Amino acid sequence: MNSASPQDSTKPPLKSTLDDEEEEEEEKSHLLLSSSASPFSISGKGDDLYDLGDSEVAYEPQEKISIDGFESTDLDSKLASISSGYDDDLAKIPPFSWKKLWLFTGPGFLMSIAFLDPGNLEADLQAGAIAGNSLLWLLLWATLMGLLIQLLAARIGVATGRHLAELCREEYPYWAGILLWLMAEVALIGADIQEVIGSAIAIQILSNGVLPLWAGVVITASDCFIFLLLENYGVRKLEAVFAVLISTMALSFAWMFADAKPSGKELLVGLLVPKLSSRTIRQAVGVVGGVIMPHNVFLHSALVQSREIDPKKKGQVQEAIKYYSIESSIALIVSFMINLFVTTVFAKGFYGSEQADSIGLVNAGRYLQEKYGGGLLPILYIWGIGLLAAGQSSTITGTYAGQFIMGGFLNLRLKKWLRALITRSCAILPTMIVALIFNRSESSLDVLNEWLNVLQSMQIPFALIPLLTLVSKEEVMGVFKIGPILKKASWTVAGLVIVINGYLLLEFFISEVDGVLFAFLVCAITLAYIAFILYLISHGGGPVTAWVDSVISKGYSYIGK
């Protein structure tokens, strides 16, 4: 028997074992993050975390904002991680800090711009004018659904160190990735048309009609260069500019709300009592389609990477998710209040009036002026200022999102000015054409805006389904994959959106399809649309996939008979 003391016999082996286990744990973490089997995955340790070779990244290391206190993990926490797994490590998260919340504040407010773009304002004012306050409950629930989706987008960006477009490129076959990219680009172009035209309308209002719509489009197109200028001053400066734009919107529309003096009782009933009639179905769809926007899901997953977070350090990831969740919730509360202001102002002024069915983004300012008049500052110009802030901020974030979408799906590592120019050109050229064609009448522009909202709604599954698929996979998310309850809630939201899309397709068939050839073309596109959605769902795994596979197999059996 060995007569050495227990301390002498165990101390050196313990240190050696801990070193070996720590190295093994690091290797496991690395494999977990890179298991999507792509040559572009994160590799290495320490500074090499950001070394992606020639692959596209959301932010370069020097652009990221460091978070004070992230490197304070003590030896006890590391030992707990090695000996007991990730759960004990996650239990070591520091207490809440207002300073850290401030450092994490920014991405959520940039993301919230998509909830406040001219397309949303169009949906808000039409919902208010045609349905009164009866759709406020839907606005509230749509915002909550949007918050859930955006929190998942932030989660996947923080936990993996990559954004959704990059992950889709690695997850799906080449053909499916290209289709997803095309769908994202279509959604982005549709949103950008609304945003640029909204800005052009605001410029026309504020110039007293001196500048025509096409001139406003040209002026708004220059935001690409403003964006590049802002980027050169750092992420925090860019976020500060957006804070000013959101504050401008909030002040403008709150002023309108105060001038209109809506009924508090009617507002409360509209928020708490669900009502929906056949006359307001399209406005309801516009509210949902305007709030949940496909390109915004891609954008948020990239924006959260502007902070220096090491995905291999689970305590950092958990803490970042916590602060981003708080910040995004605050941002969407602000956006909800702004949307509520717009809806209630138009509900008070135009619900049940002759103008209700004809009011839109183009003539809204004039109708407001006729209804509420001047005062210290004419309401027409208050509306114009708010609309311009909404349009300019959303076009810049659209350019931002376009860079991440194109770079991520196609793995393009281009100079920022070139990526911004390509992204801007893809959207601005069709917008110029639309401005020239649809500038002949107010009603044609309003109809265009309405159908662009519908387009946004129809593209949502192609962002939602990949997001829910990836955020549920342990090989992608590790311990941060979503649990069964959150998974069911998320898929329920996606299912509701897809059902709404089904209604839109049916309505389109009934009201728009005329002629055998056109009907055949629409049927073919619809079948392809549905088939791609089913493919994406079946690719995801889990109970939803099993149900889809069962439906498909039964369909084949029925056809065989």
Side-chain angles (χ1 to χ4, degrees):
M1 181 180 290
N2 192 339
S3 61
S5 68
Q7 288 181 346
D8 292 338
S9 62
T10 58
K11 215 170 211 179
L14 175 60
K15 185 176 187 303
S16 175
T17 302
L18 290 178
D19 289 342
D20 291 343
E21 290 184 7
E22 188 169 4
E23 288 181 10
E24 184 180 351
E25 197 65 43
E26 287 183 6
E27 285 298 319
K28 285 181 180 178
S29 298
H30 165 57
L31 290 173
L32 187 64
L33 285 166
S34 59
S35 61
S36 296
S38 167
F40 312 115
S41 297
I42 297 174
S43 60
K45 303 172 186 177
D47 293 338
D48 289 339
L49 173 67
Y50 304 102
D51 184 12
L52 301 181
D54 293 329
S55 66
E56 190 269 346
V57 291
Y59 294 91
E60 299 293 342
Q62 67 273 15
E63 295 176 317
K64 296 193 177 188
I65 299 166
S66 61
I67 306 296
D68 295 338
F70 255 2
E71 297 303 324
S72 63
T73 305
D74 56 18
L75 180 61
D76 290 338
S77 178
K78 291 181 180 179
L79 292 176
S81 174
I82 294 168
S83 61
S84 304
Y86 292 130
D87 290 341
D88 287 342
D89 182 42
L90 298 182
K92 299 289 182 180
I93 297 170
F96 177 81
S97 164
W98 286 104
K99 181 182 178 182
K100 277 192 180 178
L101 178 60
W102 171 248
L103 290 173
F104 278 106
T105 298
F109 281 90
L110 264 70
M111 168 272 294
S112 72
I113 294 292
F115 290 67
L116 299 168
D117 71 354
N120 276 283
L121 301 184
E122 173 92 1
D124 291 339
L125 66 88
Q126 289 185 342
I130 294 173
N133 291 318
S134 66
L135 294 181
L136 289 179
W137 67 274
L138 185 61
L139 175 64
L140 174 62
W141 281 99
T143 304
L144 291 174
M145 290 192 296
L147 175 61
L148 171 62
I149 299 305
Q150 296 303 147
L151 291 181
L152 294 180
R155 186 185 192 91
I156 202 170
V158 173
T160 65
R162 290 169 289 172
H163 56 84
L164 184 58
E166 292 176 287
L167 292 167
C168 286
R169 187 187 74 235
E170 297 177 0
E171 175 70 19
Y172 294 98
Y174 178 77
W175 67 268
I178 292 297
L179 274 179
L180 286 172
W181 169 62
L182 290 173
M183 293 299 178
E185 289 290 351
V186 167
L188 181 61
I189 289 170
D192 211 36
I193 289 173
Q194 287 181 313
E195 293 155 1
V196 171
I197 287 181
S199 290
I201 291 170
I203 291 170
Q204 194 174 45
I205 289 171
L206 295 174
S207 67
N208 286 321
V210 172
L211 294 174
L213 201 62
W214 65 266
V217 170
V218 172
I219 293 170
T220 306
S222 64
D223 69 14
C224 167
F225 304 103
I226 297 172
F227 166 71
L228 288 172
L229 181 65
L230 292 174
E231 269 201 315
N232 289 332
Y233 287 98
V235 174
R236 292 299 269 177
K237 300 293 191 301
L238 182 65
E239 290 168 352
V241 170
F242 280 99
V244 171
L245 291 170
I246 292 172
S247 300
T248 302
M249 280 185 270
L251 182 61
S252 299
F253 297 131
W255 192 324
M256 286 171 46
F257 181 81
D259 277 353
K261 299 181 178 66
S263 167
K265 181 181 177 181
E266 291 179 6
L267 192 153
L268 199 59
V269 170
L271 281 172
L272 300 178
V273 181
K275 291 180 183 177
L276 190 62
S277 67
S278 58
R279 184 172 179 267
T280 60
I281 286 288
R282 181 167 290 191
Q283 283 68 42
V285 170
V287 168
V288 176
V291 168
I292 303 175
M293 302 188 73
H295 73 272
N296 208 37
V297 178
F298 293 98
L299 175 65
H300 200 196
S301 67
L303 289 173
V304 294
Q305 293 172 49
S306 60
R307 271 57 178 174
E308 197 173 340
I309 302 162
D310 187 343
K312 293 191 294 184
K313 295 180 178 177
K314 305 306 172 184
Q316 284 192 16
V317 173
Q318 183 68 16
E319 195 174 3
I321 289 173
K322 177 181 75 172
Y323 284 111
Y324 278 135
S325 298
I326 295 170
E327 184 242 1
S328 297
S329 300
I330 294 170
L332 289 195
I333 287 172
V334 173
S335 73
F336 170 73
M337 293 304 299
I338 292 173
N339 284 315
L340 183 142
F341 289 156
V342 175
T343 302
T344 50
V345 164
F346 283 88
K348 175 68 185 299
F350 304 103
Y351 177 56
S353 68
E354 293 180 0
Q355 301 104 317
D357 290 319
S358 61
I359 197 166
L361 209 59
V362 179
N363 55 24
R366 190 177 73 247
Y367 283 159
L368 284 170
Q369 185 68 16
E370 292 171 358
K371 182 71 179 180
Y372 296 107
L376 181 63
L377 182 64
I379 199 167
L380 171 66
Y381 297 112
I382 298 171
W383 167 255
I385 291 168
L387 182 59
L388 183 62
Q392 285 296 320
S393 57
S394 55
T395 50
I396 296 174
T397 53
T399 302
Y400 219 6
Q403 291 187 72
F404 296 131
I405 289 170
M406 183 177 289
F409 275 113
L410 304 183
N411 195 25
L412 294 178
R413 193 174 175 85
L414 301 173
K415 295 290 185 182
K416 284 185 177 180
W417 68 268
L418 185 56
R419 280 198 302 177
L421 187 62
I422 293 171
T423 305
R424 191 89 268 173
S425 299
C426 287
I428 214 68
L429 293 177
T431 306
M432 284 292 293
I433 295 168
V434 165
L436 292 172
I437 293 174
F438 288 86
N439 194 29
R440 297 171 184 174
S441 68
E442 294 177 354
S443 60
S444 62
L445 267 177
D446 292 333
V447 169
L448 172 70
N449 264 320
E450 202 172 323
W451 281 107
L452 286 173
N453 279 338
V454 170
L455 176 67
Q456 294 295 311
S457 184
M458 293 186 66
Q459 299 300 320
I460 290 171
F462 305 118
L464 278 192
I465 297 173
L467 173 66
L468 299 185
T469 296
L470 290 164
V471 84
S472 304
K473 284 194 169 187
E474 187 172 357
E475 57 267 33
V476 176
M477 298 292 293
V479 295
F480 295 104
K481 72 171 186 176
I482 58 175
I485 295 176
L486 187 55
K487 187 174 181 179
K488 288 177 182 177
S490 304
W491 278 105
T492 300
V493 170
L496 285 172
V497 172
I498 292 171
V499 168
I500 289 172
N501 294 338
Y503 170 83
L504 287 174
L505 291 172
L506 182 62
E507 186 186 61
F508 183 78
F509 272 123
I510 295 171
S511 61
E512 301 293 335
V513 175
D514 186 20
V516 177
L517 185 61
F518 186 45
F520 176 79
L521 179 63
V522 171
C523 281
I525 294 172
T526 303
L527 288 173
Y529 174 84
I530 294 171
F532 192 40
I533 289 176
L534 292 177
Y535 166 78
L536 292 174
I537 294 173
S538 65
H539 186 84
V544 179
T545 297
W547 177 79
V548 170
D549 290 342
S550 173
V551 170
I552 292 172
S553 62
K554 286 179 182 177
Y556 282 137
S557 300
Y558 180 79
I559 292 170
K561 293 177 183 178

